[in-house]
Amino acid sequence: MQKSQTLQFIIASFIGFAFMLGGLSWVSFEQIAQNTEYTQLVEHTQSVLWVSEELISSMKDVETGQRGYIITGKKSHLIHYNEGKEKVFSRLDTLKILVSDNPVQLRSLAKIKEMVYEKIKYVDYNIQTIKNNKPLEISKFEQGRKAMDNLRIWISTFQNNEKSILETRVRSKIHGQSLLPIYQIMLAVASFTLLLISFYLVYTELKNRFKFQKALENKIEELNRSNTELEQFAYVASHDLQEPLRKIRAFCDKLQVKQKMVLNDDGKETLDKVSTSAARMQVLIDDLLNFSRLVNHKTHSLSSVNLNQIIDDVLSDFSEIITQKKATFSIAKLPELKAYNFQMNQLFMNLISNSLKYTKEGVNPHTIIEYSTVQGNTIPQLSSIHEERFFHKISIQDNGIGFEGEYSEKIFVIFQRLHNRNTYQGTGVGLAICRRVMTNHNGFIFADSNPYEGATFSVYFPITA
C-alpha cells in the first residue's frame, strides 16, 4: 500500500511539474514578447528624438541659406535654403506618423508646425525683399528670430516629453530583461525535475516489466515442466494400464467361453458388464494415447498433405457404417497444406465420425464439406491481432441432432460429453483432439449449432506467405 501511495505521489508530482513547466514556458514567452515590444518602443522613441533633431538641423540650414543670400546675394545659397525647406516639411510628416498614437505629442507637433510655417514666412519675406532690391525691414527680421526661438522652445518641450517616455520605456525594458533569466532558470529547474521524474517513472515501469517478465518466464518454465510431467504420466499410465486391461478382457473372454453356461442369470449379467466396461476402458486408453501423442507433436515433421486424400482415406475407414446408415457426402476440392499427416487424419476422422454418430432417427446422414479462403476480420471469434491474416477455411456441416449453442466451447474440453454414453458411444476425447490438432497448426476450430438443425464445424488454417 505504501509503495502504491508513493507511486501516486510521484505521478501527481509529475503532473504538477508538467503544469508548472507549461506555465513557466508561457510566462517566459510573454516576457520575451514584452521585452521585444519594449525594445521596439525604445527604438521608436529614439527615432522620434533623432527626427526632431534633424528638424532643428534643417531649420538651421534654412536660416543659413537665408543669411548667405542676404549677405552675398548669390543664388547658390538659395539652393541650400530650398533643400532645407523640403527636409523640414519631410521631417514634420515623419514626426506626425511617429507620434500618431500620442495625443500630447500630436498637440506639441501642431504647435511646432505652426512655428515652422511662421518662421519660413518671415524668411521667404526677407529673401523676396532682397530679390526686389529693397532694404530689409528690421522688424520682420526680429519677428523671424523670435519665431525661431519659439520653435526651439516647442521642439525642446517635444523632446523632453519623448525623453520622459524613453526613460519609462528603458526602465521597463531593463526590468523585463532582469526577470527573464529568473524565469529561464526556473524553467530549466522545472524541466530538469520533470526529466528526473520521467526517468524514475520509466525506470520503475521497465523494472516492473522486467520483473514481471522474469516471473512470467519462471511460470512458463514451471508450466512446461508440469506439462511434460503430465504428458509422461498420461503416456506411461496409459501404457501401464494396457497390460492389466488385456488380462481382464482375456479372463472375461475365457469365462464367457467356458463358464458362462454354468453361471446363473445374475452372474452372466455381471460378466457382461465387466466385459463391456473393459472394452470401454480400452477405447478410453487408446484415445488418451492419441491425445498424448498430439501434445508432444513436435517429435513429428511437417509435410505436404493432400486433404482430399485424407478425406478419402477416412471415408474408406468408415465405409461399413456409411453403407449401413446410407450416408452421403458433398465434398469440395480441398487444398494441400504443410501439416502433420497423422494429425490431419485424426482431425477429419473425429469430425466425420461425429457427423455419422449424432444422426436423427429416420433421416439419412448427409455431410457437406466446403472450402474457401477468408480474412481474419471476417471471423467474429478471432481477436483483432489476426484481422489482417488470411486463412484456409474448411467447414464440415451435417444434418444431425445438433446441440445447444451455449455448449459450442464446452464440447472441445476433454472428457466433456453432452449425451449419455448409453445413447451415443464415445469418450469425450475426440473434439479435444481436434482442438489440439488445430492448436498444433496455429489454427482455430469453432462449432455452430442448434438442436435438431445439424452442426457445422469450421476449421481455419493460417495461410503462410
Side-chain angles (χ1 to χ4, degrees), residues 234-404:
Y235 191 75
V236 171
S238 299
H239 272 76
D240 290 348
L241 287 173
Q242 296 275 21
E243 183 58 29
L245 184 60
R246 276 195 293 269
K247 288 183 178 179
I248 292 171
R249 297 192 69 180
F251 285 131
C252 285
D253 291 342
K254 187 181 289 187
L255 284 172
Q256 284 181 334
V257 172
K258 294 183 177 181
Q259 304 294 331
K260 190 171 185 179
M261 298 305 295
V262 300
L263 293 174
N264 57 25
D265 291 340
D266 185 56
K268 291 177 181 179
E269 184 181 351
T270 301
L271 183 60
D272 288 338
K273 287 182 178 179
V274 171
S275 181
T276 301
S277 295
R280 192 166 64 248
M281 185 68 174
Q282 183 68 59
V283 173
L284 181 60
I285 289 173
D286 290 340
D287 285 344
L288 279 173
L289 282 172
N290 288 332
F291 190 79
S292 66
R293 290 192 192 100
L294 292 176
V295 172
N296 195 24
H297 72 285
K298 292 185 179 178
T299 56
H300 307 284
S301 58
L302 291 166
S303 61
S304 182
V305 178
N306 186 323
L307 295 185
N308 282 108
Q309 184 62 51
I310 293 289
I311 298 292
D312 289 342
D313 293 342
V314 170
L315 294 181
S316 177
D317 292 338
F318 287 125
S319 59
E320 186 175 342
I321 191 171
I322 289 173
T323 302
Q324 179 186 339
K325 290 195 172 188
K326 297 180 181 180
T328 56
F329 290 83
S330 298
I331 304 170
K333 181 174 176 56
L334 303 181
E336 288 191 6
L337 298 177
K338 277 283 186 182
Y340 301 105
N341 189 80
F342 170 75
Q343 294 187 30
M344 290 296 100
N345 189 277
Q346 289 281 85
L347 173 68
F348 288 102
M349 180 173 287
N350 281 292
L351 292 175
I352 291 175
S353 172
N354 280 353
S355 72
L356 294 171
K357 183 190 302 182
Y358 300 105
T359 58
K360 289 185 282 192
E361 188 176 352
V363 177
N364 294 334
H366 180 64
T367 303
I368 302 172
I369 301 177
E370 297 180 325
Y371 166 74
S372 61
T373 58
V374 296
Q375 193 169 359
N377 58 14
T378 64
I379 308 172
Q381 298 94 328
L382 293 191
S383 65
S384 59
I385 59 174
H386 300 291
E387 62 183 12
E388 298 299 324
R389 301 182 68 184
F390 285 86
F391 295 85
H392 297 288
K393 177 185 177 182
I394 300 169
S395 60
I396 298 91
Q397 180 182 356
D398 62 50
N399 62 342
I401 62 173
F403 55 86
E404 294 283 355

Side-chain angles (χ1 to χ4, degrees), residues 23-36:
L24 286 171
S25 299
W26 176 255
V27 169
S28 298
F29 172 78
E30 285 292 312
Q31 193 60 52
I32 291 171
Q34 279 188 358
N35 286 349
T36 302

